[in-house]
Amino acid sequence: MSSFSIAWLDLREPADFAAREKNLVQHALDWLGQKTDPISPDRILVDLGSGTGSTLRSLTKLGATNFVWRLVDLDGNLLDEALKHHGKQLLIEDYQADLTVVNELPLTGANIVTASALFDLVSADFCDALIDRIDSRKTAFYAALNYDGTTQWSPAHPLDETVLAAFNQDQRSDKGFGPALGPTATDYLKIKLENAGYQVQIAPSPWRLTGEHKTLVENLIAGMAAAVADDYGIDAAALEAWKAFRLEQVTTGTCMIGHWDLLALPAK
Ligand SMILES: C[S@@+](CC[C@H](N)C(=O)[O-])C[C@H]1O[C@@H](n2cnc3c(N)ncnc32)[C@H](O)[C@@H]1O
């Protein structure tokens, strides 16, 4: 399963929805509601790295109505999947575009720019350029499910810390945007957005995974082991033993993965 396959995004979506900090979404919707124009009630939401539309589905479930959903992703298959799901019920504009070309992102008229599970992949330079663009239009900003570097397994294994340290180092490698912010993403965004005059709220949104999430956890274990296999000096046999132990525990063990959600509203 590739990192951003439809199957992987489908697998993580229920855990993401459960983890999202619902109060932040409510604040965003309340703020956007105050902007409603009775003549033209549609507001424009631009979801960056939208995948198949997980943000759209989550916000709709939490009460978002009257939006033009502008979905932006490099992967046309994921956008097609989003249109297949919702094209007839919702107003969706799909843009197959590379987010790194920040000046060409379709932000015209946007009331809010959103993203889920994206900002730990991006670089500081990308954030700076994006914040310049949204700030120039006083657009609201919601970035959910940014990994914070914490992973707690139960039961523990002696190699957990070694694997996690290597995994977190790997999270800082280039994911197509330059050196990734990885676990520092939320802090970086918060400081930069506050410096730009935004009112920023952050809240934890951890994944709390149990045997119910067996397939997700199995994929997570395989992904972590693959990410740290080559470049971090971990003994291959020890890593195999860690992976085998972790896979044995998926039904009865637990895993907590830390994320943070962030909402930034422009000053009035
Ligand atoms: C972790 S997935 C999250 C997808 C979706 N937001 C969700 O929560 O299910 C990251 C998404 O970013 C997209 N992406 C990664 N790099 C990109 C780039 N340079 N330009 C546009 N999209 C990109 C991927 O195709 C993928 O859909």
Side-chain angles (χ1 to χ4, degrees):
M1 199 181 276
S2 89
S3 8
F4 305 131
S5 66
I6 292 172
W8 168 247
L9 297 181
D10 280 353
L11 206 48
R12 59 173 296 160
E13 187 168 329
D16 281 343
F17 183 74
R20 274 175 204 276
E21 220 298 319
K22 312 297 185 299
N23 287 326
L24 284 196
V25 174
Q26 200 50 58
H27 284 157
L29 296 180
D30 289 348
W31 184 86
L32 288 159
Q34 291 160 18
K35 310 262 150 208
T36 303
D37 171 353
I39 310 236
S40 168
D42 288 337
R43 284 145 290 170
I44 298 177
L45 178 151
V46 180
D47 190 41
L48 303 178
S50 62
T52 66
S54 172
T55 314
L56 170 163
R57 280 183 289 283
S58 299
L59 269 52
T60 304
K61 271 193 221 165
L62 295 171
T65 50
N66 293 113
F67 277 100
V68 174
W69 302 91
R70 194 176 287 165
L71 307 185
V72 187
D73 205 286
L74 194 54
D75 187 330
N77 289 330
L78 301 181
L79 290 169
D80 286 349
E81 187 70 11
L83 289 172
K84 216 160 73 186
H85 274 247
H86 305 288
K88 294 210 169 92
Q89 307 125 16
L90 297 171
L91 266 172
I92 296 182
E93 297 175 357
D94 59 312
Y95 283 80
Q96 186 171 5
D98 186 346
L99 299 179
T100 62
V101 190
V102 176
N103 284 337
E104 291 179 16
L105 290 177
L107 304 186
T108 306
N111 299 96
I112 185 165
V113 169
T114 64
S116 302
L118 179 76
F119 273 85
D120 40 40
L121 305 176
V122 309
S123 63
D125 286 350
F126 171 80
C127 288
D128 294 352
L130 180 68
I131 290 170
D132 276 352
R133 279 210 65 194
I134 64 170
D135 183 36
S136 68
R137 293 149 197 269
K138 300 294 171 221
T139 309
F141 178 72
Y142 167 70
L145 299 155
N146 307 302
Y147 174 60
D148 73 359
T150 57
T151 298
Q152 287 162 19
W153 297 101
S154 175
H157 181 279
L159 208 67
D160 285 344
E161 279 184 27
T162 306
V163 171
L164 180 59
F167 182 70
N168 285 346
Q169 219 180 314
D170 189 71
Q171 291 287 297
R172 302 298 305 267
S173 63
D174 191 337
K175 308 283 191 277
F177 293 80
L181 286 167
T184 67
T186 303
D187 285 348
Y188 189 84
L189 284 171
K190 182 172 186 292
I191 291 167
K192 288 289 172 166
L193 285 158
E194 281 175 349
N195 288 346
Y198 277 76
Q199 292 170 348
V200 180
Q201 302 168 64
I202 61 170
S205 52
W207 273 357
R208 298 182 193 281
L209 306 177
T210 65
E212 273 178 46
H213 308 92
K214 183 173 180 289
T215 313
L216 175 61
V217 179
E218 284 169 349
N219 277 275
L220 208 54
I221 293 165
M224 279 185 176
V228 304
D230 293 329
D231 299 328
Y232 303 100
I234 302 178
D235 176 73
L239 184 60
E240 248 340 282
W242 176 85
K243 188 175 162 187
F245 175 83
R246 282 278 146 252
L247 289 171
E248 274 164 25
Q249 306 299 325
V250 284
T251 314
T252 51
T254 63
C255 175
M256 201 281 290
I257 304 232
H259 300 109
W260 286 78
D261 294 354
L262 175 148
L263 174 66
L265 298 177
K268 294 251 155 70

